[in-house]
Amino acid sequence: FWGGPYGARPFHFFWANGQGSGKSTAAEMITNNVGGYAAINFGQRDEERLKERILSDEFSGTRCLLADNVVGKCDSPLLAELATASRISGKKLAVGEAWRPNSLCVYLTGNNPQLGKDLVVRTFFVKFEPIEEIGKDVGQRVDWKTRLRDFTTKNAKRIMADCLAILAAPIPAIDWTGVTAERNADWASSVLAAVMANVHVKKRLGDIAVKDVLMRNEAYSKSVDEELDEALRFMQALLERVVSWN
């Protein structure tokens, strides 16, 4: 919907502290409204074949990649490349060298994310609250996914029209005071600013400045990075101790 520069879309990580928050369902519904998604994992074989899949004829109408229920450390040099490259080039089966514009949107879901340095600075984090923390009975979720799918399918064109209307509306200038680093400035000043300026979003969330959203995301990104560094230091120290024992 955005139509912004190729390779300028941040990754979106839907995360929660536990199960049952609806993060996977949300990612599926969003991607299904724009032509579906290609599921990815971070095994070596999938990494090697990812570009071939992206450049295949079967993938040509797909705009999204989805890594669902990411467990443990997520550190993919290939995905980091996809986050910034304006075009994706590589081997296409039965053809040879091929390329396509990088208009891909990448979604990840998981609990308590751990991302490598190259990914964390290119990621926009969205926290989902578990059912029990927002006062809803688990019984209310029995047919929730079905009802949501039926609603989005029935109203797909209206949803697209609303998205386009939000992006087409006048966008106020962003106050970047306090934002120390922003790798996704094009997206933030276009998409995020347009969403936060929408009257219906303000009615739901309040009048929240874009810079406050960015600063909070930046702070969380740093905490994810620091926790990963601490874990790596611990493992390195443990390995050195084991070696010394032997």
Side-chain angles (χ1 to χ4, degrees):
F1 299 137
W2 174 29
Y6 294 130
R9 291 153 181 78
F11 292 172
H12 290 77
F13 203 126
F14 295 172
W15 72 281
N17 289 325
Q19 300 292 332
S21 60
K23 54 189 180 296
S24 295
T25 299
E28 288 180 13
M29 296 302 166
I30 291 171
T31 55
N32 284 338
N33 273 338
V34 289
Y37 64 89
I40 58 175
N41 59 57
F42 298 100
Q44 182 177 358
R45 188 166 183 265
D46 196 70
E47 283 268 319
E48 294 171 350
R49 293 189 56 197
L50 182 55
K51 278 192 177 181
E52 291 184 9
R53 293 174 59 199
I54 292 173
L55 294 172
S56 68
D57 293 335
E58 292 78 9
F59 193 90
S60 60
T62 305
R63 295 281 301 279
C64 300
L65 300 176
L66 172 59
D68 195 18
N69 292 318
V70 176
V71 178
K73 178 186 175 183
C74 175
D75 192 4
S76 168
L78 179 54
L79 283 185
E81 176 187 344
L82 294 179
T84 57
S86 60
R87 57 188 287 174
I88 304 168
S89 60
K91 178 184 177 182
K92 182 176 180 180
L93 291 177
V95 174
E97 185 69 16
W99 70 276
R100 62 164 285 176
N102 183 12
S103 57
L104 294 176
C105 295
V106 179
Y107 292 86
L108 306 97
T109 74
N111 300 320
N112 302 312
Q114 296 179 351
L115 300 181
K117 290 180 179 293
D118 288 336
L119 290 182
V120 73
V121 296
R122 298 176 172 90
T123 300
F124 192 77
F125 295 91
V126 182
K127 184 179 181 182
F128 284 65
E129 295 293 345
I131 290 290
E132 61 271 19
E133 292 186 14
I134 56 178
K136 292 185 178 180
D137 189 275
V138 175
Q140 294 178 281
R141 297 182 55 236
V142 173
D143 63 342
W144 174 74
K145 187 172 183 177
T146 300
R147 289 186 286 111
L148 181 59
R149 182 185 294 110
D150 291 344
F151 175 84
T152 55
T153 300
K154 180 180 178 180
N155 298 282
K157 291 183 179 180
R158 292 181 179 179
I159 294 173
M160 292 181 186
D162 286 345
C163 290
L164 292 172
I166 291 174
L167 294 176
I171 302 174
I174 297 179
D175 177 9
W176 294 96
T177 306
V179 181
T180 58
E182 182 50 53
R183 296 288 186 94
N184 306 301
D186 286 331
W187 176 86
S189 58
S190 298
V191 179
L192 181 60
V195 171
M196 300 308 297
N198 181 262
V199 61
H200 299 292
V201 174
K202 285 186 175 183
K203 184 177 180 180
R204 181 69 176 175
L205 301 180
D207 192 5
I208 303 175
V210 173
K211 74 170 184 177
D212 292 334
V213 177
L214 296 175
M215 290 171 63
R216 185 169 183 176
N217 189 70
E218 182 181 340
Y220 182 74
S221 300
K222 289 181 179 179
S223 71
V224 171
D225 198 17
E226 290 170 358
E227 289 177 4
L228 182 60
D229 282 345
E230 183 177 349
L232 291 175
R233 288 195 297 269
F234 172 79
M235 292 303 296
Q236 183 177 4
L238 180 61
L239 179 61
E240 291 174 352
R241 180 63 61 87
V242 170
V243 170
S244 67
W245 288 342
N246 293 333

